[in-house]
Amino acid sequence: MSKKFLSIENLTLIGIVFGVLLGYYIPEIAVSIKFLGDAFLNILKAIAIPLIFASVFVSIATLSSISDLKNIGGKAIAYYFTTTALAVLTGIIVVNIIGFGSENINPKTVNETVHHKFTIKSFIESLVPDNIFKSFTEGKVLQIIIFSILLAVATLYLEKTKKQTVVLFIDGLNDALIKIARWIITLTPIGVFSLVAYVVADKGLGTILSLWHYVVVVVIGLLIHAVFNLGLIAYIFGKINPLKYFLQVREALLVAFSTSSSSATLPVSLEVAEEKAKIKKKVAGFVLPLGATINMDGTALYESVAAMFVAHLYGIDLSLGEQIIIFLTATLAAVGAAGIPSAGLVTMTLVFTAVGLPLEGIAVILAVDRFLDMLRTSINVWGDLIGAKIIDRFVKEQ
Ligand code: ASP
């Protein structure tokens, strides 16, 4: 077999297919090899946190000026918000056009409730670190990013030798972490195989069928956003062929799919962005870590569809005004969601509370959440990678 065929990307794809088959036909074995997937996920998570710190630091500390930071930062934030809003809008339009059909689920019989509640106040409080070491050990990504930006900006003001020492050290650390990421990537096919096999064995494909109307609407919405919206944006603003770019970065999308975590995927996203797509380190190092935490198109779209689905189940008619509230809160809730599995489910309480939907409605969609999480996380990462490519075009090499 040719070497090209046996690339990591293709082996990963094969891993997913065999994972589904194993999980479906021999679930006992799928469960017993879960530790392989867990080990893969853990090592990715282990390097993700220091990598987020180092890459954000390096990308800012190597900029020539603060106005350069404003330039990249401003563009990134503008991109995140427009694409997230576009995603929610797509979700709402798809629901209004396709609708949900008639599900035979009686929400009153479900009495599981979601306990955590997400509010804007708690989100803003969570941005400020009180002990930076605690932020690291607890994996508080936004706090780490804020600290890293502060430290990098402060470093820009240091006298030359001190500045060089700090930057060289953290830059070296960053390169070494990327090297580890490259090693871990060679293990992706096995990790992905085990993770997917376990999800299928644990959740079963049957649950997906029971909520298929809802699943289909989410999937169609995600596909439209990924292919048309983001594809067109990449073509127009990034002057790239989205299909070619997709093939270059697909390893990151496959890892996102199987881990359901944008943060755990970050080491792989950074590697493919810099090595395969040749995006400048200072752009990728800033746009991707920040994007992995605040830019979640898939999550935003999913949350709006989920809210409208639950309203539909409870026989609640949503007015245009309420749909606008869903639009606004789903955008915010996606920004607030951490890049970890099921985070969107927690921040969705914000959307539900805003339009007065019963929180226990979330329990109905729990059954298919993991599967939809895999898809929305891939779209989240795809949105980050397109953003990095577009912004790269506008930032000059020094
Ligand atoms: N799992 C998603 C992510 O990491 C967040 C979510 O639950 O929607 O991007």
Side-chain angles (χ1 to χ4, degrees):
M1 237 175 280
S2 77
K3 202 154 169 227
K4 198 151 181 220
F5 179 76
L6 288 178
S7 66
I8 296 290
E9 287 90 346
N10 290 346
L11 289 176
T12 306
L13 216 50
I14 294 171
I16 290 182
V17 174
F18 278 95
V20 172
L21 293 175
L22 180 75
Y24 188 71
Y25 288 107
I26 333 178
E28 315 81 55
I29 296 189
V31 172
S32 69
I33 59 160
K34 177 172 179 273
F35 70 97
L36 288 174
D38 285 344
F40 172 72
L41 190 56
N42 286 344
I43 187 76
L44 275 178
K45 285 200 286 198
I47 65 162
I49 295 293
L51 192 56
I52 287 168
F53 167 73
S55 62
V56 171
F57 178 90
V58 171
S59 68
I60 296 174
T62 54
L63 292 175
S64 54
S65 64
I66 297 285
S67 71
D68 230 8
L69 169 64
K70 285 196 190 133
N71 183 17
I72 297 186
K75 288 196 170 70
I77 303 284
Y79 171 84
Y80 297 154
F81 274 97
T82 8
T83 50
T84 305
L86 198 61
V88 186
L89 199 63
T90 306
I92 295 179
I93 292 175
V94 170
V95 172
N96 278 299
I97 292 177
I98 308 184
F100 291 110
S102 51
E103 301 283 341
N104 51 1
I105 292 168
N106 178 3
K108 304 260 167 7
T109 60
V110 187
N111 49 24
E112 240 179 298
T113 32
V114 176
H115 295 293
H116 311 277
K117 232 176 133 186
F118 175 80
T119 58
I120 299 186
K121 184 166 160 273
S122 67
F123 173 61
I124 292 179
E125 274 170 3
S126 75
L127 294 180
V128 188
D130 67 336
N131 174 346
I132 192 61
F133 293 101
K134 212 166 94 200
S135 313
F136 274 92
T137 53
E138 292 176 354
K140 296 270 165 54
V141 174
L142 277 176
Q143 296 185 358
I144 298 170
I145 290 180
I146 287 175
F147 175 71
S148 185
I149 293 177
L150 269 179
L151 193 68
V153 172
T155 307
L156 284 175
Y157 289 99
L158 294 182
E159 52 132 307
K160 205 165 161 226
T161 42
K162 283 187 180 164
K163 178 179 158 185
Q164 266 175 355
T165 316
V166 183
V167 173
L168 272 178
F169 171 69
I170 302 183
D171 190 25
L173 179 73
N174 189 46
D175 286 355
L177 288 164
I178 286 276
K179 182 125 214 117
I180 302 180
R182 215 164 290 155
W183 293 334
I184 300 173
I185 288 174
T186 58
L187 300 174
T188 324
I190 303 171
V192 162
F193 165 70
S194 157
L195 288 169
V196 171
Y198 178 74
V199 172
V200 174
D202 185 42
K203 301 282 179 225
L205 293 175
T207 46
I208 294 174
L209 295 179
S210 70
L211 285 166
W212 73 271
H213 276 125
Y214 163 63
V215 172
V216 165
V217 174
V218 176
V219 172
I220 290 178
L222 288 175
L223 280 178
I224 292 178
H225 184 67
V227 177
F228 289 103
N229 300 351
L230 291 178
L232 217 59
I233 288 176
Y235 181 72
I236 296 173
F237 296 101
K239 297 260 179 291
I240 52 165
N241 174 344
L243 183 64
K244 230 164 107 192
Y245 187 55
F246 169 80
L247 292 174
Q248 278 176 342
V249 301
R250 67 188 191 277
E251 187 65 14
L253 306 179
L254 295 172
V255 172
F257 177 80
S258 41
T259 58
S260 294
S261 169
S262 302
S263 295
T265 309
L266 187 69
V268 187
S269 317
L270 279 169
E271 212 272 340
V272 292
E274 287 170 20
E275 297 300 319
K276 301 235 158 99
K278 305 288 174 221
I279 295 175
K280 290 181 240 8
K281 194 166 156 184
K282 65 178 178 184
V283 175
F286 182 78
V287 177
L288 293 177
L290 198 59
T293 4
I294 66 174
N295 181 43
M296 299 201 179
D297 297 4
T299 301
L301 187 148
Y302 153 83
E303 294 196 355
S304 63
V305 176
M308 294 171 84
F309 176 67
V310 169
H312 165 81
L313 278 186
Y314 281 84
I316 302 169
D317 257 337
L318 293 170
S319 63
L320 183 66
E322 280 162 331
Q323 295 198 25
I324 294 175
I325 294 180
I326 291 187
F327 169 77
L328 294 173
T329 49
T331 308
L332 279 177
V335 173
I340 54 173
S342 295
L345 210 54
V346 177
T347 61
M348 196 146 70
T349 53
L350 177 74
V351 185
F352 275 51
T353 316
V355 277
L357 291 172
L359 285 188
E360 61 268 21
I362 294 180
V364 184
I365 51 176
L366 264 182
V368 287
D369 186 67
R370 181 61 201 233
F371 169 69
L372 294 178
D373 200 358
M374 296 165 100
L375 294 174
R376 65 181 188 255
T377 307
S378 308
I379 308 300
N380 291 345
V381 172
W382 176 229
D384 298 340
L385 284 163
I386 289 189
K389 188 74 188 170
I390 292 176
I391 293 164
D392 189 53
R393 208 187 127 223
F394 293 101
V395 174
K396 284 190 195 64
E397 192 72 84
Q398 276 148 34

